[in-house]
Amino acid sequence: MHILLVEDDDRIAAALRPALHRHGMTTTRLARGRGAVDHLADVDVVLLDLGLPDIDGVDVCRAIRAVSEVPVIVVSARGEVDDRILGLHSGADDYLVKPYDIGELVARAHAVHRRHRGPAGSPAGGVVVVDEVSVDLNRHTVTVAGREVTLTRKEFQVLALLASAGGAVCTRSRIVAEVWGRSWPGANRTLDVHVATLRTKLGRPELVQTVRGVGYRLGSPGGTGPGPGAGTPAVG
Ligand code: CA
């Protein structure tokens, strides 16, 4: 996987690049936002810092979206909530808050890359299994310990999105955007209701985990599910 790293902080770039290389990724680094759209050839995922010296990262994101569907993960400093929301509205696929964990970055990069390629490209043939819950992304069926569970279309779409993320966190805004197509006042409440129904129907209350203030992820109760490993260094 080739990562385009748009990051003006030399210290962060110097720590990040070898860590990504150790995860089998290759990187190109730009220290400015200007010209980023000219470097998208063969890029699988863009990691875009929103605080850049020359152009607002949100504008860089919009410029990328105008010419390419390449997955973009925006990075903002802690507390800049408006930036993150603005980033997602400007076409970003996900966001990270500094300082973030390398393992989390790698998991999210794989997740956005996988979704971009679509379920057909997944090595598991489009079936994700977590804690006896089997989600068939192609046939749109769900079984729990071999027993088929009937979900509404929206319930299935929420579950499929979480299953496709490979254990990474799906932000509330992204789930709402991808499942309902648009956001509206009360969207979060609607999402919560769907998740509550999912937990009841699946009979696995701990499978769909709440990441407070961010969104949801899939994980088995024992923490053996896919996701970032413990003890990886923080950057930022
Ligand atoms: Ca910066």
Side-chain angles (χ1 to χ4, degrees):
M1 185 183 304
H2 188 62
I3 307 283
L4 176 62
L5 176 63
V6 185
E7 171 61 70
D8 59 300
D9 189 318
D10 290 337
R11 190 178 58 88
I12 291 177
L16 199 48
R17 296 185 75 184
L20 292 174
H21 298 167
R22 279 195 297 277
H23 281 88
M25 296 170 166
T26 53
T27 57
T28 300
R29 185 239 174 160
L30 300 176
R32 305 190 315 160
R34 199 174 304 281
V37 292
D38 300 326
H39 290 80
L40 298 178
D42 301 322
V43 167
D44 294 304
V45 174
V46 178
L47 186 66
L48 173 65
D49 183 27
L50 289 180
L52 294 168
D54 58 336
I55 319 177
D56 192 318
V58 168
D59 292 328
V60 177
C61 188
R62 288 204 184 95
I64 290 173
R65 241 343 134 247
V67 299
S68 170
E69 289 296 312
V70 65
V72 176
I73 299 175
V74 294
V75 180
S76 70
R78 184 175 296 282
E80 293 172 355
V81 176
D82 291 348
D83 276 2
R84 309 201 301 260
I85 293 169
L86 210 51
L88 292 172
H89 285 177
S90 60
D93 297 84
D94 204 348
Y95 70 82
L96 285 166
V97 179
K98 292 179 181 177
Y100 54 82
D101 182 273
I102 292 283
E104 184 169 14
L105 165 58
V106 169
R108 292 195 187 197
H110 279 297
V112 295
H113 185 231
R114 204 159 38 232
R115 275 203 314 282
H116 180 62
R117 288 182 308 162
S122 81
V127 180
V128 178
V129 182
V130 183
D131 191 26
E132 289 193 314
V133 176
S134 174
V135 184
D136 190 322
L137 300 173
N138 300 326
R139 292 178 52 235
H140 286 216
T141 55
V142 176
T143 60
V144 178
R147 177 180 57 90
E148 185 152 346
V149 173
T150 305
L151 300 179
T152 66
R153 180 176 165 78
K154 292 299 187 197
E155 286 161 5
F156 178 82
Q157 287 176 337
V158 171
L159 181 61
L161 188 57
L162 296 174
S164 302
V169 179
C170 291
T171 62
R172 288 174 159 275
S173 21
R174 199 180 70 216
I175 299 173
V176 168
E178 293 202 18
V179 173
W180 282 273
R182 55 179 289 278
S183 191
W184 70 96
N188 280 347
R189 174 70 187 142
T190 301
L191 173 58
D192 290 341
V193 169
H194 279 72
V195 168
T197 314
L198 261 180
R199 285 171 173 154
T200 302
K201 285 188 175 179
L202 297 175
R204 295 284 192 282
E206 293 174 354
L207 180 74
V208 182
Q209 300 173 347
T210 302
V211 182
R212 200 163 296 282
V214 182
Y216 295 101
R217 68 185 291 274
L218 280 199
S220 46
T224 54
T232 44
V235 166

